[in-house]
Amino acid sequence: MAPHLILRVVAKLLIPLILVFGFYVHFHAKYAPGGAFQAGVILAAALILYALIYGMEAARKAVPPWAARVTMALGAFIFAAVGFVSLVFGENFLDYDPLHPNLELARGQYIGIVLVEIGVLMTVTAVIIAIFYAFAGRSPEITEEDW
């Protein structure tokens, strides 16, 4: 029997549910303020659980550290770009109205909030993963006999 079989089976059931719940929290943020930060933490928690069950090498293969760094920067870029687009069109930073010309439908507000939430989600998820990799990389790995 493979070691930790129950943990691996339970993790295979839980990790997809955690990911779905994380995306639910994120997409629910379209209708209520906030949500991207919490969703990012939930999505990162799925990878942390994966790393705890399957090991750091498997986690680093699933989400390489360079991908976490790139995602971190890309999310911050999206957030800042939305704000600077408003400045270019003569509005205040993160004033979303210039993102859509039809002000009556408030489409610019909707587009701006979705883009900012995506940027926050990407950055928070990647930062939590990078912090986990940094801390997990410092400790020696636990061998199968130590369990």
Side-chain angles (χ1 to χ4, degrees):
M1 186 165 107
H4 319 294
L5 179 63
I6 294 173
L7 287 176
R8 290 174 188 255
V9 170
V10 170
K12 281 185 178 180
L13 294 173
L14 280 181
I15 289 172
L17 292 176
I18 292 170
L19 291 174
V20 168
F21 182 67
F23 283 114
Y24 167 77
V25 169
H26 173 69
F27 290 114
H28 181 70
K30 290 190 320 186
Y31 306 107
F37 184 87
Q38 297 88 341
V41 172
I42 292 169
L43 293 178
L47 182 76
I48 292 170
L49 177 64
Y50 183 80
L52 292 175
I53 301 299
Y54 293 99
M56 285 301 298
E57 288 305 315
R60 284 190 175 116
K61 198 178 283 185
V63 179
W66 65 264
R69 288 191 296 269
V70 168
T71 304
M72 192 183 327
L74 186 61
F77 175 78
I78 290 171
F79 185 92
V82 171
F84 283 115
V85 165
S86 302
L87 288 176
V88 167
F89 286 102
E91 298 290 334
N92 294 325
F93 188 75
L94 291 177
D95 186 1
Y96 307 127
D97 287 337
L99 296 175
H100 195 276
N102 191 350
L103 294 177
E104 294 176 7
L105 299 176
R107 291 275 185 199
Q109 296 289 323
Y110 178 78
I111 293 169
I113 289 172
V114 168
L115 289 174
V116 164
E117 293 286 329
I118 288 172
V120 170
L121 174 77
M122 292 172 65
T123 300
V124 169
T125 303
V127 166
I128 297 293
I129 290 170
I131 290 171
F132 175 73
Y133 283 166
F135 280 112
R138 289 182 160 201
S139 65
E141 292 199 21
I142 299 173
T143 62
E144 291 296 323
E145 292 80 28
D146 292 339
W147 276 77

